[in-house]
Amino acid sequence: MDEIELTCIEGTVQAVIFQNPENGYTVLKIRAGDETVTAVGTLPGVAAGEGLRLYGSWTSHASYGQQFKAEHAERSLPEGSGAIFDYLASGAIKGIGVKLARLIVSQFGEKSLEIIENSPEELAKIRGITLKKAEEIQERFRQQTGMRRLMEFLADNGVRPVAAARLYRTYGDDAETVITENPYVLADPYFGMDFFAADRLAQNLGFAPDCMERVSAGVVFELRHNEGNGHVFLPKDKLAAATAQLLEVEAEPVERALSALSDTGETVTERVAGVDAVYMADMREAEYEVARRLSLMARTPVDDTPGLEVLMARAEHRCGIRFADKQRMALEMAAKGRVMVLTGGPGTGKTTTVRGIIGLYDEMGIDTLLTAPTGRAAKRLTELTGREAQTVHRLLGAGMPEAGEQGREFEKCAADPLECGAVILDETSMVDLKLMAALLDAMPVSCRLVMVGDADQLPSVGPGNVFGDIIRSRAVPVIGLTDIFRQAQQSAIVKNAHKINHGEVPSLKNTGGDFFFLKRNDAESVTKTVTELISRRLPQNMNIPAGDIQVLSPSRKYGGGTRELNAAIQEALNPASPDKKEKQMGNITFRVGDRVMQTRNNYDIMWVRGASVPKGEDGEAALRGEPGAGIYNGDVGYIEDIDHDAQAAYLRFEDRLVPYPFDQMTDLELAYAVTVHKSQGSEYRAVILALPKCPPGLVTRGLLYTAVTRARELLVVAGGPDVFAAMVANDRRQRRYSGLRARLAGEAGA
């Protein structure tokens, strides 16, 4: 919104009705002229008694009437004894309450804030305030004034005030100086801004297009952006060309930036996998450590296990079956080595083998932890084995990375390792390089690792091709299960998945069973059919409720993609209603009852396990329960309530209730339909696969195979037979720049 279009109101804060400490979103009463109005906006730390000049627009709220929505603000300290008392008594400065505020103002009057800031020894003359306490109050007040100045600087330069708290936490009073000297520090994901926003600020501050700060930031942006495309590094020549094109600069400043980044250690350049590879330092460290640790585990022998055959027989008895030859080989490998891979397609007995390994480790007295990359995968592992499984993030104690630190921070690490003798990691194909490095770092030196997964599924969404690289390196023992067991042979889903994996187009004639193909040659008819299937035909004809059905599509944006499908399915399953709360975010309308998915890791959003949505004035009591933090990319939940007064939605992720601030709902998308990539690691009772015509890069065998293997009881495909056949025929896999295979194979220094 242009400045000229904004309305300005000015006055004194009478009361703060609501403030979200996570993002600074505030609802307050402000005395503007002769009237008191409600204003809302991002105003972290604002308190009663402060003077505000707000720029924004008037809005009408369905429940709360007219409000002033502030886009940005100019803040000033209160003036006059009355306003200063209101400010101090509001609790704006920790350590000062109503009683102490009255003593301070009665002693110093209009000079109270000046005394607090500059003369703590004078403040200490008041009864009940020691010099130490006075100095603590001074420091807290200076932090507030520093934050205020920083917010004003950011607002003047078009930067969202929500970044102010983290900037001040990181740089203190030097924050404004740091940003002025190098605005590209804001591109650190910790501050919630991207490279292009920082670049606009730099241009406003007069930075030259080919200055070192800009070009270095451009190099880092290219490397980080391509991590999102799965690449661990970029070849130096490709990186240089991409950066020059992005910034519209010559090659020479890019070369200088590459050299400078290497000198400071922010990037690492080395010869690996046949190319001159440029890594971000943390990615190179992760790759190096994964290779080093796995190589060490593969080379380190374990003590002989007396009576192994007897122990294996006991494990077999625990499972109540007789293991096939390869399954027995897997158990023996798990007993005799520190690391192994167990892979195989659907119906080949991976789950039974995992149960057997757990039973064997129990017989051997080895404490075993089970983990998987997603909540759904962990829940499924728990159901199949009867043992508790956790997500890797929860197992390691995920936290928010600090400024300047990429990737993740975990409580569990080499200094505070997991307490176990073995870890079984399921759905390993989904695990990216940084997550694998963190898991290995947290494992005790003597710990064993069993990596389980389907090597033919799509690789991880994050950087690397860890599972595939490990298998191809031949550095770690691998057991590949290939025989389909008799009970699985009855499933057309299983049989057709294996046919697809071998490049054979299965029969698309609907002869009953659990696999159906509905010929639809255009995107419009695909969307219509999918919507009818989930809203009416499958619930009514096959007694499968819509909540047990997941729609998958190769793409997001194109006809028949998840955006179009979600809008159509939402209209069918959860249409607008006068008594149903909703919140518009961009082109998406979120309603109570919607199924939604988190699209990025948010380490510091809070949740309460087992809580219910707050009701009434004592609603906070309903939020009591086991607290925690962190919602992760791919987590699926439901909207239970939308509170426009608190500017938050209440989302249910399994047994966790999340008060979700509106300004963070851009991290959500509707999840009636999700991409095949996002479905990795999950299994659904029924899957509807939309196969409209889509970009060639998505017409691949691996994507189709992954989609088909997500269905447990029923798979319905709606699309063109030519698209289906083309996917089966195309076994091309996207190349990812990764040096892990080479390091494990000894072809690069590991």
Side-chain angles (χ1 to χ4, degrees):
M1 185 178 292
D2 296 333
E3 291 281 341
I4 196 170
E5 299 176 357
L6 299 180
T7 300
C8 175
I9 64 171
E10 186 173 2
T12 302
V13 177
Q14 299 297 295
V16 175
I17 308 302
F18 170 82
Q19 189 164 80
N20 187 319
E22 295 296 320
N23 58 20
Y25 182 86
T26 304
V27 180
L28 55 81
K29 296 289 186 181
I30 181 172
R31 183 70 179 176
D34 295 330
E35 60 178 338
T36 300
V37 300
T38 301
V40 299
T42 303
L43 298 163
V46 73
E50 281 195 62
L52 287 182
R53 180 177 293 160
L54 301 177
Y55 297 87
S57 58
W58 291 99
T59 61
S60 181
H61 190 282
S63 302
Y64 307 107
Q66 193 176 48
Q67 296 180 340
F68 188 83
K69 183 177 181 181
E71 299 293 333
H72 62 88
E74 296 174 6
R75 297 168 62 174
S76 60
L77 289 173
E79 297 179 357
S81 297
I84 291 173
F85 171 75
D86 289 342
Y87 173 72
L88 295 177
S90 71
I93 302 174
K94 188 177 179 181
I96 299 180
V98 175
K99 182 178 179 181
L100 199 53
R102 185 172 290 112
L103 290 173
I104 293 171
V105 174
S106 64
Q107 178 79 16
F108 302 112
E110 295 183 359
K111 292 186 176 181
S112 295
L113 298 182
E114 180 183 336
I115 294 294
I116 290 172
E117 182 172 15
N118 299 314
S119 304
E121 68 281 357
E122 291 294 316
L123 193 64
K125 292 179 181 179
I126 293 178
R127 185 177 179 180
I129 301 181
T130 63
L131 181 59
K132 180 181 179 182
K133 183 173 181 178
E135 290 172 342
E136 290 173 349
I137 290 172
Q138 178 194 45
E139 177 60 26
R140 290 170 186 142
F141 179 71
R142 285 183 169 178
Q143 287 176 1
Q144 283 219 352
T145 55
M147 174 79 78
R148 183 179 293 104
R149 288 192 297 270
L150 177 60
M151 286 185 64
E152 290 172 355
F153 169 77
L154 295 176
D156 289 343
N157 289 279
V159 179
R160 292 185 306 157
V162 72
R166 286 181 178 170
L167 283 165
Y168 195 84
R169 191 182 307 150
T170 304
Y171 299 114
D173 289 335
D174 296 327
E176 184 176 334
T177 302
V178 169
I179 296 168
T180 303
E181 292 177 350
N182 184 6
Y184 294 98
V185 299
L186 289 167
D188 190 308
Y190 179 73
F191 300 125
M193 288 183 63
D194 61 21
F195 168 80
F196 300 103
D199 198 34
R200 287 192 296 272
L201 174 58
Q203 291 175 28
N204 293 339
L205 295 175
F207 280 73
D210 61 350
C211 67
M212 182 63 73
E213 294 87 353
R214 181 173 191 256
V215 181
S216 295
V219 170
V220 171
F221 168 76
E222 284 290 348
L223 287 170
R224 292 299 186 198
H225 175 74
N226 277 282
E227 287 175 15
N229 295 328
H231 301 300
V232 179
F233 67 80
L234 288 180
K236 186 175 181 180
D237 57 344
K238 293 183 180 295
L239 173 60
T243 304
Q245 182 178 15
L246 171 75
L247 303 179
E248 297 181 338
V249 298
E250 299 297 323
E252 192 272 334
V254 178
E255 288 294 333
R256 284 191 290 111
L258 284 167
S259 178
L261 288 167
S262 181
D263 289 344
T264 61
E266 195 168 349
T267 64
V268 177
T269 303
E270 63 180 304
R271 189 75 178 174
V272 64
V275 298
D276 291 324
V278 182
Y279 294 83
M280 291 301 298
D282 61 320
M283 295 305 299
R284 194 272 179 186
E285 178 70 11
E287 186 176 273
Y288 177 89
E289 285 301 319
V290 169
R292 184 192 67 81
R293 184 66 185 269
L294 289 177
S295 297
L296 179 63
M297 293 173 73
R299 293 194 307 266
T300 305
V302 298
D303 295 335
D304 289 338
T305 303
L308 179 58
E309 286 297 324
V310 174
L311 296 178
M312 289 175 63
R314 290 178 181 171
E316 199 171 48
H317 179 71
R318 279 175 178 247
C319 294
I321 64 164
R322 184 171 181 81
F323 294 123
D325 290 345
K326 281 195 174 182
Q327 291 177 314
R328 291 183 63 83
M329 290 172 60
L331 265 66
E332 187 173 351
M333 188 178 288
K336 294 183 176 180
R338 294 200 184 278
V339 61
M340 66 169 288
V341 167
L342 175 66
T343 185
T348 57
K350 290 197 305 295
T351 299
T352 300
T353 308
V354 168
R355 289 172 54 210
I357 292 173
I358 294 170
L360 177 60
Y361 282 161
D362 286 346
E363 295 291 341
M364 295 172 65
I366 296 174
D367 187 17
T368 306
L369 294 177
L370 275 60
T371 188
T374 68
R376 281 180 173 270
K379 182 179 180 181
R380 177 168 168 259
L381 185 58
T382 298
E383 293 169 349
L384 293 173
T385 62
R387 297 279 284 265
E388 181 188 5
Q390 302 179 65
T391 64
V392 181
H393 286 88
R394 185 179 175 194
L395 182 72
L396 301 183
M400 183 65 195
E402 296 297 326
E405 295 185 5
Q406 292 291 337
R408 310 172 180 89
E409 254 193 1
F410 297 95
E411 294 177 9
K412 292 299 180 180
C413 57
D416 182 19
L418 298 167
E419 296 181 3
C420 62
V423 171
I424 296 179
L425 173 62
D426 198 15
E427 297 289 353
T428 309
S429 63
M430 293 184 64
V431 177
D432 65 34
L433 184 66
K434 294 293 290 292
L435 193 58
M436 179 61 78
L439 178 60
L440 289 169
D441 184 52
M443 288 170 46
V445 175
S446 60
C447 190
R448 303 167 190 245
L449 175 64
V450 178
M451 294 173 280
V452 184
D454 188 339
D456 295 308
Q457 287 185 22
L458 294 170
S460 61
V461 174
N465 187 11
V466 174
F467 199 47
D469 284 350
I470 291 171
I471 292 171
R472 287 193 296 273
S473 74
R474 301 178 183 273
V476 171
V478 177
I479 289 289
L481 303 177
T482 55
D483 296 334
I484 304 176
F485 284 85
R486 183 177 303 167
Q487 60 271 30
Q489 291 176 359
Q490 310 306 312
S491 167
I493 294 174
V494 171
K495 290 188 291 186
N496 289 342
H498 285 275
K499 287 182 178 180
I500 290 167
N501 200 30
H502 290 98
E504 179 183 347
V505 179
S507 172
L508 301 182
K509 295 179 180 179
N510 297 322
T511 56
D514 54 11
F515 185 106
F516 295 89
F517 187 91
L518 304 180
K519 182 179 178 181
R520 302 291 185 271
N521 288 323
D522 61 90
E524 183 178 351
S525 61
V526 167
T527 299
K528 181 180 179 181
T529 298
V530 168
T531 304
E532 290 176 350
L533 285 166
I534 190 172
S535 64
R536 184 174 55 83
R537 292 166 63 176
L538 296 188
Q540 292 178 6
N541 299 338
M542 304 196 74
N543 201 30
I544 301 177
D548 289 348
I549 304 168
Q550 182 62 61
V551 175
L552 304 180
S553 177
S555 70
R556 286 168 53 86
K557 299 183 294 185
Y558 301 91
T562 58
R563 289 182 184 175
E564 183 177 290
L565 288 165
N566 272 314
I569 297 169
Q570 182 193 46
E571 182 61 28
L573 294 180
N574 194 26
S577 169
D579 60 351
K580 188 173 293 182
K581 299 176 186 176
E582 60 181 45
K583 172 63 178 173
Q584 185 76 29
M585 296 295 295
N587 295 324
I588 302 176
T589 300
F590 293 103
R591 296 192 186 104
V592 171
D594 277 335
R595 185 194 304 178
V596 294
M597 175 181 282
Q598 178 78 7
T599 60
R600 75 174 185 91
N601 291 340
N602 187 332
Y603 298 91
D604 53 359
I605 194 166
M606 305 302 294
W607 49 258
V608 181
R609 193 180 304 280
S612 58
V613 174
K615 301 292 182 186
E617 292 183 358
D618 112 318
E620 284 301 317
L623 280 174
R624 290 176 183 169
E626 178 192 343
I631 299 295
Y632 305 109
N633 188 4
D635 284 355
V636 174
Y638 290 85
I639 299 177
E640 288 199 359
D641 193 18
I642 294 175
D643 187 337
H644 286 278
D645 188 28
Q647 292 288 296
Y650 289 91
L651 272 61
R652 178 77 61 184
F653 291 89
E654 300 288 347
D655 60 344
R656 297 165 295 165
L657 183 68
V658 184
Y660 210 103
F662 280 173
D663 74 338
Q664 295 185 30
M665 288 182 72
T666 52
D667 294 338
L668 297 173
E669 60 185 26
L670 294 174
Y672 299 105
V674 302
T675 63
V676 177
H677 282 86
K678 288 287 189 181
S679 73
Q680 287 176 262
S682 299
E683 185 181 71
Y684 312 98
R685 181 180 175 189
V687 166
I688 303 170
L689 175 59
L691 278 189
K693 291 183 179 179
C694 52
L698 297 174
V699 183
T700 67
R701 184 187 302 173
L703 189 144
L704 179 60
Y705 175 78
T706 301
V708 170
T709 53
R710 299 309 89 205
R712 183 171 69 250
E713 295 182 18
L714 178 69
L715 174 70
V716 182
V717 183
D722 54 337
V723 177
F724 193 98
M727 295 180 83
V728 174
N730 182 12
D731 196 27
R732 177 180 57 82
R733 297 174 185 253
Q734 179 193 12
R735 180 182 181 184
R736 292 188 168 194
Y737 292 113
S738 163
L740 181 60
R741 186 205 61 79
R743 293 185 194 280
L744 285 168
E747 298 169 11

